[in-house]
């Protein structure tokens, strides 16, 4: 006897909206702040902690603003496409039904079954069906500007707090080594966590994030030494 309870599956794509913004923000927070602190410390040209705090605030606000504008542009494009599709459905429903049927045939359904599926989905929610199949717009991938902005700003601040806390708690001649070491360890952990949350290979994610983070910090340190 079939169960009456709804079977709910959780997939990695359900988290893709906020996960992408959070990982990007935390990674940028660690890398940019650690790079800034190391560059300033190597150059010996200012109060490291004060500069780090300014970098945290400015970076978090910049991430929030940039993410909001970027994702909002995507949302505007999605709305425009859906509005155009709504007009086409109203003007030529039979043509749109044939178009949807053709999409399912192209995906492997035989013409009769494809037409049946297209008719049922059109009856249920024609715009959602065309948005998903024709435009590639679905609930999991739809743009959410506010969510992306908040996730980016918060995660940037959390990431930036790691090297900043090190510079505040462990000042001295070994500051650069502590900042670099703990920042790289945090980046490797972040890469592993992001890969795990996204269902990808943990070691590859850790290596990718750690490598690019080390390259960014080393480049900034080199510039700081050259200028200093």
């Amino acid at each position: 006897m079939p169960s009456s309870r709804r079977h709910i599956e959780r997939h990695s794509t359900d988290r893709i909206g906020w996960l992408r913004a959070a990982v990007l923000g935390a990674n940028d927070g660690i890398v940019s702040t650690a790079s800034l602190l190391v560059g300033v410390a190597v150059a010996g040209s200012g109060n490291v902690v004060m500069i780090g705090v300014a970098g945290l605030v400015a970076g978090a606000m910049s991430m929030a603003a940039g993410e909001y504008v970027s994702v909002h542009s995507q949302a505007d494009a999605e709305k425009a496409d859906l509005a155009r599709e709504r007009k086409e459905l109203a003007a030529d429903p039979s043509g749109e039904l044939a178009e949807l049927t053709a999409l399912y045939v192209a995906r492997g359904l035989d013409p009769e079954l494809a037409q049946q599926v297209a008719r049922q989905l059109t009856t249920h929610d024609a715009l959602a069906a065309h948005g998903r199949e024709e435009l590639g717009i679905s609930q999991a991938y739809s743009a959410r500007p506010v969510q992306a902005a908040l996730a980016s700003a918060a995660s940037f601040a959390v990431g930036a707090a790691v090297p900043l806390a090190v510079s505040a708690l462990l000042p001295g001649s070994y500051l650069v080594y502590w900042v670099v070491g703990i920042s790289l360890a945090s980046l490797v952990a972040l890469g592993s966590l992001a890969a795990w949350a996204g269902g990808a290979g943990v070691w590859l994610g850790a290596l990718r994030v750690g490598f690019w983070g080390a390259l960014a910090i080393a480049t900034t340190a080199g510039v700081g030494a050259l200028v200093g």
Side-chain angles (χ1 to χ4, degrees):
M1 180 178 180
S3 173
S4 60
R5 296 179 59 185
R6 184 182 178 186
H7 179 57
I8 300 177
E9 294 183 350
R10 297 186 181 276
H11 300 282
S12 299
T13 52
D14 296 336
R15 303 185 289 267
I16 195 168
W18 64 263
L19 180 61
R20 181 194 65 83
V23 171
L24 175 63
N27 180 82
D28 196 22
I30 296 173
V31 172
S32 62
T33 306
S35 299
L36 177 65
L37 295 175
V38 169
V40 171
V42 170
S45 59
N47 186 316
V48 174
V49 176
M50 182 177 66
I51 292 174
V53 171
L56 185 154
V57 176
M61 293 301 98
S62 176
M63 285 292 294
E67 194 73 17
Y68 181 84
V69 171
S70 174
V71 178
H72 208 292
S73 297
Q74 178 187 342
D76 290 341
E78 290 178 356
K79 290 179 181 178
D81 283 341
L82 288 174
R84 187 181 304 111
E85 194 66 31
R86 187 181 291 109
K87 292 180 180 179
E88 292 175 356
L89 284 167
D92 186 15
S94 59
E96 291 298 305
L97 177 62
E99 185 178 20
L100 189 60
T101 301
L103 289 173
Y104 287 123
V105 171
R107 292 194 175 191
L109 296 182
D110 62 75
E112 184 179 351
L113 179 58
Q115 187 176 50
Q116 182 181 358
V117 172
R119 286 187 182 278
Q120 290 186 2
L121 290 178
T122 298
T123 301
H124 175 68
D125 191 337
L127 183 61
H130 281 269
R132 181 175 57 252
E133 305 298 341
E134 184 179 347
L135 305 175
I137 300 174
S138 65
Q139 184 176 3
Y141 292 98
S142 61
R144 298 180 177 87
V146 175
Q147 180 191 67
L150 293 177
S152 293
S155 57
F156 182 97
V158 171
V162 174
L164 183 58
V166 174
S167 66
L169 298 175
L170 299 170
S173 57
Y174 294 102
L175 172 63
V176 171
Y177 302 104
W178 278 109
V179 170
V180 171
I182 294 179
S183 296
L184 289 180
S186 300
L187 285 171
V188 169
L190 174 65
S192 301
L193 180 61
W196 173 80
V202 172
W203 289 109
L204 182 59
L207 180 63
R208 180 170 55 241
V209 175
F211 170 78
W212 288 107
L215 182 61
I217 294 173
T219 301
T220 310
V223 173
L226 181 64
V227 173

